[in-house]
Amino acid sequence: MNDLKRIQPPVFPVGKIDLPEVSNIKLTNGINVYLIESGTEEVTRTEFIFRAGQIKENIPLLASTTNMMLREDSQNYSSEELNRRLDFYGAFLNPWTDKDMGGVTVFSLNKYQGKIIELCNEMIFRPAFPREELEALMNKRKQWFHINREKVQNLAYDKIFELMFGPDHPYGYQIVEDDFDKIDTSFLREFHTTYYDPGEMAVIVSGRIPLETVDLLQANFGGYKRLNSSVKKSVPALKRSSTKKSHIKKENVVQTAIRIGSPTINKRHPDYFGLKVLDTILGGYFGSRLMKNIREEKGYTYGIRSNITSLDLSGYKTISTEVGNEYVTRTIDEIYKEINILQDEIIAPSELKIVKNYMLGEMVRMFDGPFAAAESFRSAWEFGLNNDYYRKFADKIRSIGPDEIKALAQSYYNTDELFEVIAGK
């Protein structure tokens, strides 16, 4: 047994990645429905998607509050009745928003699919936005806000977004306490009318899809017409800060949060695939250079990672960690050291092979089951892409070489352009 512990298990390279077929059907009013048929259980995941994220706000908190209030009273049901019916039918429903998108995702048993789609129609297009429930929600959110302002990692993330995109841009502005008192039901109704437009909706259905699914969607949503509502909001220009470093003082904390990053390209750019490989080498998985150096060798942190994230109007790269207060300067020095090594030295073929195997394995996991496949499809569809994006990504992972990795590090990791935020003592 002792000998067996020292034998590395065999590594098998990932071959062809089987991507599920995605069928596109249009309802009679033009609403796009994407069907991903897979799985063996009588369960489906249905996602109703709108371009109704934070980027569309004219005041902070408007997009997320509008979305969260969809679970409250509708024209025909109270919030108690809506939630009781969802519970009775065994459905799990999640309204969500991010910086660009908003929508509702529901998991339901196939035998109750018709009932669930009817309830989704009621919630999405007939919300009442009751004033009392709005006040209760905003009081609760204000309490969450105060709790989160005590966490250095939240302070650091908010600040670096402000530096990267500007304090007046929806990607970059920071929430303040007064924002919770400014939301009114009239603002919610206007935002809902403008951005929860049936003509702008898309639906993604995945799982073991019943034959009657499209007919149910047609019956519930096919009769809606594009609202042709008020003119869509114009977005202020992205504006990077001239301040490159920021220190947010926070007493009585045992760790300091570090965030280093800058705006970059998104999924539509041809260099994006290679940049993701570079990011994985730097800090994108447990065996990355930042983890080996700063966690394993130096012991400054429990975890550190880098990430490349796409937004509709931009992208951004970040390096994030929390360290003991006494290790802040040394950690930042080591981060820049690892970036400089990638710019100056060629990566060893053995290390690059490990990263490639890891990334291809992760891609297999991204399509492991119908619900994961639907999530992966949506993350490409948002940018006007389809599953062919992942085929090209896999090809790039296999073909990229050490020289290209070095060139990408020199092009996209100019340390003079990186913003640096420290939150803590």
Side-chain angles (χ1 to χ4, degrees), residues 196-213:
Y196 284 78
D197 186 333
E200 301 289 341
M201 182 175 77
V203 184
I204 302 175
V205 187
S206 57
R208 189 167 183 176
I209 303 174
L211 294 175
E212 63 271 19
T213 297

Side-chain angles (χ1 to χ4, degrees), residues 278-307 319-323 331 334-335 338-339 342 351 358:
L278 170 62
D279 174 72
T280 305
I281 296 167
L282 177 62
Y285 76 119
F286 197 78
S288 70
R289 293 188 176 188
L290 289 176
M291 283 290 282
K292 286 179 179 177
N293 180 341
I294 296 170
R295 173 193 158 101
E296 295 179 18
E297 296 176 10
K298 304 295 190 305
Y300 295 162
T301 182
Y302 285 109
I304 181 170
R305 69 175 292 114
S306 62
N307 195 37
I319 298 168
S320 56
T321 188
E322 287 78 46
V323 301
T331 298
E334 292 300 322
I335 290 171
E338 292 298 338
I339 292 173
L342 282 168
E351 182 185 1
Y358 167 78

Side-chain angles (χ1 to χ4, degrees), residues 3-145:
D3 290 338
L4 288 174
K5 290 179 182 177
R6 303 177 187 198
I7 300 174
Q8 178 178 317
V11 176
F12 299 99
V14 175
K16 180 183 177 183
I17 298 175
D18 294 321
L19 304 180
E21 293 296 323
V22 181
S23 302
N24 180 204
I25 296 172
K26 287 183 180 291
L27 303 185
T28 54
N29 58 357
I31 291 176
N32 280 298
V33 177
Y34 300 95
L35 305 174
I36 302 175
E37 175 69 47
S38 181
T40 58
E41 304 299 326
E42 295 294 332
V43 179
T44 51
R45 175 187 190 268
T46 307
E47 193 163 28
F48 304 91
I49 308 168
F50 302 84
R51 296 194 179 275
Q54 184 177 324
I55 190 67
K56 303 298 185 181
E57 295 176 336
N58 53 11
I59 59 173
L61 300 172
L62 185 54
S64 60
T65 304
T66 302
N67 186 267
M68 294 170 79
M69 286 291 291
L70 296 179
R71 288 202 69 147
E72 302 300 332
D73 297 6
S74 71
Q75 293 178 13
N76 296 306
Y77 298 107
S78 68
S79 60
E80 182 181 353
E81 290 172 319
L82 281 170
N83 287 290
R84 188 171 65 243
R85 287 170 183 261
L86 289 169
D87 289 342
F88 179 80
Y89 295 126
F92 173 76
L93 184 138
N94 178 41
W96 56 270
T97 50
D98 57 30
K99 290 193 180 296
D100 291 312
M101 312 292 282
V104 172
T105 303
V106 60
F107 298 84
S108 59
L109 301 172
N110 286 350
K111 62 180 178 180
Y112 298 128
Q113 187 188 44
K115 299 291 186 181
I116 297 303
I117 289 177
E118 288 177 15
L119 288 175
C120 288
N121 182 15
E122 180 75 19
M123 295 172 63
I124 294 170
F125 289 121
R126 301 188 185 98
F129 298 122
R131 187 175 299 277
E132 291 182 1
E133 280 77 0
L134 174 61
E135 291 175 357
L137 174 63
M138 299 317 289
N139 286 333
K140 186 183 297 183
R141 296 191 73 184
K142 191 186 291 187
Q143 293 175 12
W144 295 340
F145 171 77

Side-chain angles (χ1 to χ4, degrees), residues 8-17 276-277 280-281 284-285 347-366 393-394 396-400:
Q8 178 178 317
V11 176
F12 299 99
V14 175
K16 180 183 177 183
I17 298 175
K276 287 291 284 186
V277 178
T280 305
I281 296 167
Y285 76 119
I347 183 174
S350 57
E351 182 185 1
L352 184 55
K353 181 180 179 182
I354 292 171
V355 171
K356 289 183 175 186
N357 286 337
Y358 167 78
M359 294 186 71
L360 290 170
E362 280 293 289
M363 192 169 291
V364 172
R365 186 186 60 79
M366 289 169 60
F393 196 174
K396 187 62 178 180
I397 293 170
R398 294 188 180 99
S399 65
I400 194 168

Side-chain angles (χ1 to χ4, degrees), residues 242-297:
S242 58
T243 301
K244 293 299 181 183
K245 297 184 180 183
S246 176
H247 180 197
I248 304 168
K249 286 270 191 179
K250 189 69 176 175
E251 297 297 334
N252 302 318
V253 293
V254 296
Q255 285 195 313
T256 294
I258 299 171
R259 299 293 182 270
I260 295 173
S262 66
T264 191
I265 58 178
N266 65 15
K267 292 178 181 179
R268 300 186 187 101
H269 195 284
D271 285 346
Y272 184 79
F273 298 145
L275 190 59
K276 287 291 284 186
V277 178
L278 170 62
D279 174 72
T280 305
I281 296 167
L282 177 62
Y285 76 119
F286 197 78
S288 70
R289 293 188 176 188
L290 289 176
M291 283 290 282
K292 286 179 179 177
N293 180 341
I294 296 170
R295 173 193 158 101
E296 295 179 18
E297 296 176 10

Side-chain angles (χ1 to χ4, degrees), residues 151-165:
K151 300 175 181 178
V152 291
Q153 59 266 41
N154 293 331
L155 296 174
Y157 256 129
D158 289 347
K159 188 62 179 180
I160 200 164
F161 277 116
E162 180 186 288
L163 296 179
M164 289 191 296
F165 300 119

